[in-house]
Amino acid sequence: MSSYVHKPVMVAEVLAALHPRPGGCYADGTIGGGGHAAAILDASSPNGWLHGSDRDGAAVEAARTRLAEFVGRFEIRQGKFGELADWVPAGSCAGVVLDLGVSSAQLDTPGRGFSFQRDGPLDMRMDMRQSLTAAELVNETAADELVKMFWELGGERQSRRIARAIEQERSRSRFETTMRLAGLIERLIPRHGKSTHPATKVFQALRLAVNDEIGSLQCGLTAALTVLKPGGQLAVITFHSLEDRVVKDFGRARARDYTFTGGVDVPELRQPRAPELKWLHRKALKPGAAEQAANPRSRSAQLRVFEKI
Ligand SMILES: C[S@@+](CC[C@H](N)C(=O)[O-])C[C@H]1O[C@@H](n2cnc3c(N)ncnc32)[C@H](O)[C@@H]1O
């Protein structure tokens, strides 16, 4: 699909983290337009192998086209990265990459309903086979639940006002389009010269909820660790603090040489066990200044790298 446009972020850093080698086996759980995958296949030429997946059928199709020059060296399936361990042999991969969030192709296609800047149906499904859409959440979720969703998943301070306004408006007619929702929020919270659109946080919250992105990420990190071989690297690129917190918590928990139950780490209740991974960098890596200037979308990217023990 030639209309699928997405510029991969932090490619050099991902390659440095995974250092793909000929004959190695790799997995890309968020193959998107195939940018990272192409770089991994190229660096592992002539015979490195790549397992790829994406929830979005359009991405799978685009990646297969993009990777045509490497045919015979990859397999791509449509599905969540949390399902990688269902078809990729455990302990087989030397490196796994997860590049989270949405692609530019998803954001820029009005019909997908991800953007408050383009009019389209209130959809936001990454996987079009799923039934839950953003319209269903906006029209059918109790106002108190919307308040919670906008606050917890978007950090929106005006979540109560916005949810009440949605409740009033939807009693007149259902919300069907991105522009009607974005327009309502813009009328409630004028920009006052700010460059960020006032609907940004609500749209992020809805997208995360429609696709259960936080829950999927927790499953995906576990699956990635399962398919990695000891000494293999996991590279995860996040775009906002909620995702990054999940990745950090996962890294901390799996790097400990003990577990604990009950949610509170009391020394007497610790159960010793071997750590499963180690952090390769204490701090998240950020894109360089040149990449940030050339690709504004990369500015919020953060890369964390772990090694399976
Ligand atoms: C930032 S893009 C990835 C771009 C890709 N690295 C490239 O080089 O083109 C994120 C992709 O992850 C996919 N995605 C998000 N959550 C997913 C999940 N839980 N399982 C599989 N794919 C997911 C989205 O559909 C989207 O195509």
Side-chain angles (χ1 to χ4, degrees):
M1 196 187 273
S2 57
S3 60
Y4 194 103
V5 178
H6 179 82
K7 202 174 175 143
V9 304
M10 303 187 77
V11 176
E13 291 85 349
V14 168
L15 288 182
L18 305 187
H19 43 90
R21 295 197 177 92
C25 172
Y26 302 89
D28 182 343
T30 50
I31 204 156
H36 287 112
I40 292 169
L41 282 164
D42 190 38
S44 64
S45 287
N47 57 350
W49 176 268
L50 183 107
H51 299 286
S53 74
D54 202 291
R55 291 172 87 166
D56 185 341
V60 167
E61 207 182 302
R64 286 194 182 122
T65 306
R66 167 79 175 80
L67 300 178
E69 66 185 290
F70 303 106
V71 74
R73 292 180 49 205
F74 63 85
E75 178 182 5
I76 304 175
R77 297 195 187 182
Q78 184 178 0
K80 295 186 198 172
F81 44 60
E83 294 157 5
L84 271 177
D86 297 348
W87 60 283
V88 176
S92 65
C93 294
V96 177
V97 60
L98 301 178
D99 173 21
L100 304 175
V102 275
S103 64
S104 307
Q106 287 167 327
L107 267 180
D108 298 342
T109 305
R112 302 297 300 269
F114 285 105
S115 171
F116 44 77
Q117 279 160 335
R118 293 157 201 270
D119 202 14
L122 256 183
D123 191 313
M124 302 196 193
R125 286 170 299 170
M126 288 182 180
D127 184 341
M128 302 298 281
R129 302 169 302 185
Q130 168 184 317
S131 67
L132 180 68
T133 63
E136 197 176 321
L137 286 181
V138 170
N139 291 301
E140 287 158 38
T141 307
D144 286 347
E145 286 298 309
L146 286 180
V147 174
K148 203 164 160 248
M149 182 193 299
F150 298 160
W151 170 244
E152 288 180 358
L153 298 179
E156 174 55 71
R157 288 171 186 276
Q158 307 267 13
S159 57
R160 195 162 294 279
R161 265 182 84 200
I162 296 170
R164 297 289 166 229
I166 289 175
E167 193 180 32
Q168 270 191 354
E169 284 271 320
R170 73 189 183 188
S171 67
R172 285 191 274 275
S173 65
R174 275 179 71 83
F175 280 88
E176 301 290 359
T177 65
T178 51
M179 280 302 167
R180 181 160 168 232
L181 180 61
L184 170 71
I185 299 170
E186 202 163 15
R187 285 196 302 281
L188 280 177
I189 315 168
R191 282 192 201 216
H192 295 308
K194 286 192 195 140
S195 59
T196 316
H197 193 290
T200 306
K201 292 174 175 174
V202 166
F203 271 63
Q204 173 185 301
L206 285 169
R207 195 199 90 203
L208 291 178
V210 167
N211 299 291
D212 181 26
E213 287 180 50
I214 300 301
S216 294
L217 177 54
Q218 277 153 346
C219 299
L221 293 167
T222 304
L225 203 56
T226 303
V227 302
L228 271 178
K229 59 165 83 168
Q233 283 81 25
L234 168 59
V236 189
I237 301 173
T238 61
F239 290 88
H240 56 79
S241 56
L242 265 187
E243 283 172 341
D244 189 51
R245 195 182 315 146
V246 174
V247 177
K248 268 194 306 199
D249 288 349
F250 173 83
R252 282 199 194 112
R254 302 298 180 113
R256 283 191 200 109
D257 58 2
Y258 62 88
T259 56
F260 57 90
T261 48
V264 185
D265 183 4
V266 185
E268 300 80 59
L269 298 179
R270 289 178 180 171
Q271 298 288 326
R273 64 106 202 252
E276 293 172 88
L277 55 78
K278 64 181 182 202
W279 296 67
L280 289 194
H281 309 278
R282 270 290 144 195
K283 289 191 112 180
L285 304 178
K286 297 281 301 164
E291 179 170 9
Q292 293 195 33
N295 181 6
R297 193 179 170 271
S298 72
R299 287 179 197 153
S300 50
Q302 300 208 84
L303 170 67
R304 293 197 184 268
V305 188
F306 306 110
E307 185 171 295
K308 181 166 171 173
I309 295 175

